[in-house]
PDB file of all heavy atoms in Angstrom:
ATOM      1  N   MET A   1    -150.807-130.646 -73.230  1.00 79.00           N
ATOM      2  CA  MET A   1    -151.414-129.649 -72.380  1.00 79.00           C
ATOM      3  C   MET A   1    -151.436-130.125 -70.920  1.00 79.00           C
ATOM      4  O   MET A   1    -151.166-129.353 -70.026  1.00 79.00           O
ATOM      5  CB  MET A   1    -152.833-129.377 -72.892  1.00 79.00           C
ATOM      6  CG  MET A   1    -153.473-128.246 -72.193  1.00 79.00           C
ATOM      7  SD  MET A   1    -152.662-126.733 -72.650  1.00 79.00           S
ATOM      8  CE  MET A   1    -153.895-125.582 -72.314  1.00 79.00           C
ATOM      9  N   GLN A  32    -114.827-128.752 -47.980  1.00 88.00           N
ATOM     10  CA  GLN A  32    -113.878-129.270 -48.954  1.00 88.00           C
ATOM     11  C   GLN A  32    -113.026-130.361 -48.315  1.00 88.00           C
ATOM     12  O   GLN A  32    -112.760-130.321 -47.119  1.00 88.00           O
ATOM     13  CB  GLN A  32    -112.990-128.132 -49.450  1.00 88.00           C
ATOM     14  CG  GLN A  32    -112.058-128.511 -50.572  1.00 88.00           C
ATOM     15  CD  GLN A  32    -111.249-127.322 -51.048  1.00 88.00           C
ATOM     16  OE1 GLN A  32    -111.006-126.376 -50.320  1.00 88.00           O
ATOM     17  NE2 GLN A  32    -110.822-127.383 -52.291  1.00 88.00           N
ATOM     18  N   VAL A  43    -123.307-130.810 -45.795  1.00 95.00           N
ATOM     19  CA  VAL A  43    -124.259-131.010 -44.714  1.00 95.00           C
ATOM     20  C   VAL A  43    -125.387-129.983 -44.795  1.00 95.00           C
ATOM     21  O   VAL A  43    -125.174-128.858 -45.233  1.00 95.00           O
ATOM     22  CB  VAL A  43    -123.590-130.939 -43.321  1.00 95.00           C
ATOM     23  CG1 VAL A  43    -122.654-132.090 -43.098  1.00 95.00           C
ATOM     24  CG2 VAL A  43    -122.871-129.626 -43.104  1.00 95.00           C
ATOM     25  N   PRO A  49    -127.211-118.705 -37.410  1.00 88.00           N
ATOM     26  CA  PRO A  49    -127.508-117.422 -38.066  1.00 88.00           C
ATOM     27  C   PRO A  49    -126.254-116.848 -38.719  1.00 88.00           C
ATOM     28  O   PRO A  49    -125.125-117.112 -38.291  1.00 88.00           O
ATOM     29  CB  PRO A  49    -127.975-116.537 -36.918  1.00 88.00           C
ATOM     30  CG  PRO A  49    -127.412-117.148 -35.692  1.00 88.00           C
ATOM     31  CD  PRO A  49    -127.296-118.613 -35.962  1.00 88.00           C
ATOM     32  N   HIS A  85    -127.391-127.624 -35.820  1.00 94.00           N
ATOM     33  CA  HIS A  85    -128.107-128.903 -35.786  1.00 94.00           C
ATOM     34  C   HIS A  85    -128.021-129.519 -37.189  1.00 94.00           C
ATOM     35  O   HIS A  85    -128.582-128.974 -38.137  1.00 94.00           O
ATOM     36  CB  HIS A  85    -129.570-128.681 -35.389  1.00 94.00           C
ATOM     37  CG  HIS A  85    -130.378-129.937 -35.443  1.00 94.00           C
ATOM     38  ND1 HIS A  85    -130.246-130.935 -34.503  1.00 94.00           N
ATOM     39  CD2 HIS A  85    -131.305-130.360 -36.324  1.00 94.00           C
ATOM     40  CE1 HIS A  85    -131.069-131.919 -34.824  1.00 94.00           C
ATOM     41  NE2 HIS A  85    -131.720-131.595 -35.921  1.00 94.00           N
TER      42      HIS A  85
END
Side-chain angles (χ1 to χ4, degrees):
M1 188 69 157
Q32 186 178 26
V43 293
H85 175 73

